[in-house]
Amino acid sequence: MVVLQGTQRVNNRGHLEVGGCDATELAAAFGTPLYVVDEVELRRRCRRYRQALHASYSNSSVAFAGKALLNLAIARIVAEENLELDVASGGELYTALQAGFPVQRITLHGNFKLDEELRLALRHGVGRIGIDSLDEIERLARLSEEMHCSPRVTLRVAPGVDPHTHGKISTGQDDTKFGLNISNGAARAGIQAILRHPHLQLAGFHCHVGSQLLDTEAHEAAADIVCRFAASMQERYGMRVQEIILGGGLGIQYLPGQQPPSIERFADSICDTFRRSCQNMGLGEPHLGVEPGRSIAGEAGLTLYTIGPVKRVPIREVPGERWYVAVDGGLSDNPRPLMYDALYQTLLANRAAEMPTITVRVSGRHCETDTLLPAVELPEPHPGDILAVLATGAYNASMASNYNRFPRPAMVLANEGNAELITRRETFEDLLKLDLIPERLRQKAIASQGCDKGE
Ligand SMILES: Cc1ncc(COP(=O)(O)O)c(C=O)c1O
């Protein structure tokens, strides 16, 4: 049984509805594949985070992790909801700046920030830069001196916690490219280096243990380890620990069987552990930050596809045949199934009230196996049906590519029966916009036939 999310419901025409909009009408009006963002749900999740964290620990802030989903409209919604924003590249930072996101509420992260990205951040005076390596300390100090500014920085540390999630989204263990290890002394060397540079204002520490976590164990363990480390550094170097940022990572319900903690339970448990650890270590009540991405945007998004050819292919295993259902997108609009074996709930948007009768494999149009959904239950699908894949709001559009020179899909914001385009669909012309033909390749006429015969 599919569990609907946010404002999704089945309307009296038997169609899936989201944000008060009939999904089949969205598909007809905007084409498919189409990313649909449920604005009410997106805003509700921003508010729940802010309220829950604030209720449990008032000296706190929530930054939306822009890597999950970012464009101009999303940045403005996040700003309106009074969240901060975590950006992980010059492109994300530029998007936020162009959207008019309050610059003091922006943090720049990334394991290798280029000089031009650091310069952009310094020029605009972002609220915080999350330092990730010893090399970056030296470069940032040099650039800050050149630009006559003193950025507020945090040091990203690797607390050595294994978050038990997919290997590609585990980041808090010792064996990681992110941050500086607490266990091998690299983090301590990082602090010494930062403190040597008068242009860098060290405000505290940052960690992010992993993503799609279905319990709070790893966050609690990391909070405890980072607080202990912060306290020992405070004592040793006389620095004042003003803030500790515990990253993002709360998982979402991709499948009915997954039961991640609610935002409220997550906030409660990390605030409790954080407060206790800070008290035990004599840190007082430093500022606590979290940076959720997936658990804000994920369930607020869905993708609509049009079904094309349906094939029944003989297989050795029971039931003896497999239904291959092709959709008009796939790997280029959602690489997660190929990267992480990610699974999703799905339903036919134009026949949402019908019970599933068969198990099918949904494949995309790309030149790979491009399995979008290996085995999902649907009513017998026909070409032209509209397939809705749920919980695609995070790490879908933001990870989309032009593989096979597919134009990337449009994105609409659905709210109270209105749908507004927030990213237009790419065109073939867009695909050519950056291509150039060197003069020497232009000059030669291209033969109109294929290979010359008989030579
Ligand atoms: C530093 C940092 N903060 C926050 C996040 C957001 O994580 P999530 O989307 O799991 O909440 C990530 C994700 O990779 C991250 O690297």
Side-chain angles (χ1 to χ4, degrees):
M1 195 53 197
V2 172
V3 181
L4 296 179
Q5 296 150 345
T7 65
Q8 294 162 9
R9 66 178 196 109
V10 178
N11 66 18
N12 52 18
R13 296 162 72 192
H15 294 174
L16 175 66
E17 197 177 281
V18 56
C21 301
D22 186 313
T24 64
E25 288 173 9
L26 294 178
F30 296 98
T32 56
L34 180 68
Y35 298 121
V36 183
V37 176
D38 177 348
E39 184 174 346
V40 166
E41 183 60 7
L42 183 71
R43 288 184 184 274
R44 202 169 66 91
R45 287 178 164 266
C46 292
R47 281 175 211 168
R48 281 176 62 192
Y49 253 110
R50 224 162 47 80
Q51 285 163 2
L53 207 71
H54 201 256
S56 298
Y57 191 90
S58 61
N59 186 13
S60 60
S61 60
V62 180
F64 174 62
K67 69 204 74 182
L69 176 68
L70 195 65
N71 54 34
L72 295 174
I74 297 294
R76 290 197 74 92
I77 290 174
V78 172
E80 276 184 18
E81 292 302 329
N82 275 316
L83 262 53
E84 300 193 356
L85 186 67
D86 138 23
V87 296
S89 70
E92 289 181 7
L93 174 56
Y94 183 73
T95 304
L97 293 171
Q98 291 300 309
F101 201 96
V103 74
Q104 266 301 314
R105 286 200 256 144
I106 299 177
T107 298
L108 176 65
H109 283 306
N111 70 305
F112 175 18
K113 304 171 197 72
L114 306 178
D115 281 3
E116 61 257 35
E117 293 174 319
L118 291 172
R119 272 196 208 100
L120 183 66
L122 294 174
R123 198 175 322 122
H124 289 272
V126 298
R128 196 189 279 119
I129 296 178
I131 289 182
D132 198 281
S133 65
L134 295 173
D135 157 81
E136 190 172 291
I137 295 168
E138 301 311 318
R139 286 192 295 120
L140 184 60
R142 177 173 48 75
L143 293 171
S144 305
E145 201 174 337
E146 276 169 26
M147 295 174 70
H148 309 289
C149 54
S150 306
R152 180 180 181 88
V153 302
T154 50
L155 179 68
R156 179 164 180 170
V157 297
V161 170
D162 181 354
H164 303 298
T165 185
H166 194 286
K168 292 195 178 122
I169 43 177
S170 297
T171 51
Q173 66 281 12
D174 280 332
D175 182 2
T176 176
K177 71 169 183 176
F178 290 107
L180 295 173
N181 258 288
I182 291 180
S183 63
N184 71 358
R188 184 153 66 83
I191 293 165
Q192 289 172 321
I194 294 172
L195 294 175
R196 273 199 297 273
H197 292 290
H199 283 276
L200 305 181
Q201 302 176 55
L202 180 60
F205 299 94
H206 170 270
C207 72
H208 168 75
V209 286
S211 200
Q212 184 51 15
L213 307 187
L214 297 176
D215 60 49
T216 57
E217 248 175 67
H219 283 98
E220 290 175 35
D224 200 53
I225 292 169
V226 176
C227 287
R228 187 182 303 274
F229 175 70
S232 72
M233 294 302 103
Q234 182 164 275
E235 197 179 310
R236 195 172 191 136
Y237 298 109
M239 61 172 285
R240 194 168 79 74
V241 178
Q242 297 163 42
E243 59 183 20
I244 293 182
I245 319 284
L246 293 177
L250 176 61
I252 62 171
Q253 188 176 39
Y254 283 109
L255 299 176
Q258 290 172 328
Q259 294 294 343
S262 65
I263 290 172
E264 290 72 20
R265 201 149 67 76
F266 172 78
D268 235 32
S269 80
I270 62 162
C271 289
D272 258 20
T273 311
F274 184 72
R275 180 181 294 102
R276 210 171 330 110
S277 301
C278 288
Q279 269 165 11
N280 291 344
M281 317 288 170
L283 277 178
E285 288 210 352
H287 182 87
L288 165 65
V290 293
E291 297 166 337
R294 190 189 310 272
S295 51
I296 287 183
E299 290 178 47
L302 61 83
T303 308
L304 299 175
Y305 299 95
T306 301
I307 288 179
V310 176
K311 291 181 189 163
R312 296 166 71 162
V313 174
I315 55 169
R316 278 210 203 91
E317 314 92 83
V318 181
E321 66 172 4
R322 190 176 332 270
W323 287 65
Y324 276 92
V325 175
V327 292
D328 57 352
L331 176 55
S332 62
D333 60 76
N334 182 1
R336 295 187 65 255
L338 208 77
M339 287 171 75
Y340 317 126
D341 298 319
L343 301 172
Y344 293 90
Q345 297 194 100
T346 186
L347 70 159
L348 294 182
N350 55 323
R351 295 160 57 196
E354 290 180 38
M355 293 305 283
T357 50
I358 51 168
T359 302
V360 307
R361 175 165 292 180
V362 177
S363 312
R365 279 193 328 122
H366 299 78
C367 299
E368 306 279 330
T369 52
D370 193 7
T371 300
L372 192 62
L373 304 153
V376 287
E377 300 199 334
L378 290 177
E380 190 178 321
H382 306 297
D385 280 336
I386 301 297
L387 186 82
V389 179
L390 307 188
T392 58
Y395 305 108
N396 274 229
S398 62
M399 286 186 166
S401 74
N402 290 123
Y403 179 47
N404 283 151
R405 296 228 130 188
F406 272 44
R408 281 172 297 181
M411 185 182 293
V412 294
L413 207 52
N415 186 10
E416 296 184 351
N418 294 317
E420 294 158 300
L421 203 55
I422 56 172
T423 305
R424 73 164 170 78
R425 186 174 300 283
E426 275 181 336
T427 61
F428 287 159
E429 289 74 44
D430 290 327
L431 296 177
L432 299 188
K433 240 175 10 205
L434 303 178
D435 287 3
L436 300 167
I437 306 182
E439 204 43 46
R440 67 190 171 79
L441 295 180
R442 260 178 211 284
Q443 284 162 0
K444 267 193 226 154
I446 299 175
S448 56
Q449 306 96 314
C451 312
D452 286 344
K453 290 195 185 112
E455 286 189 8

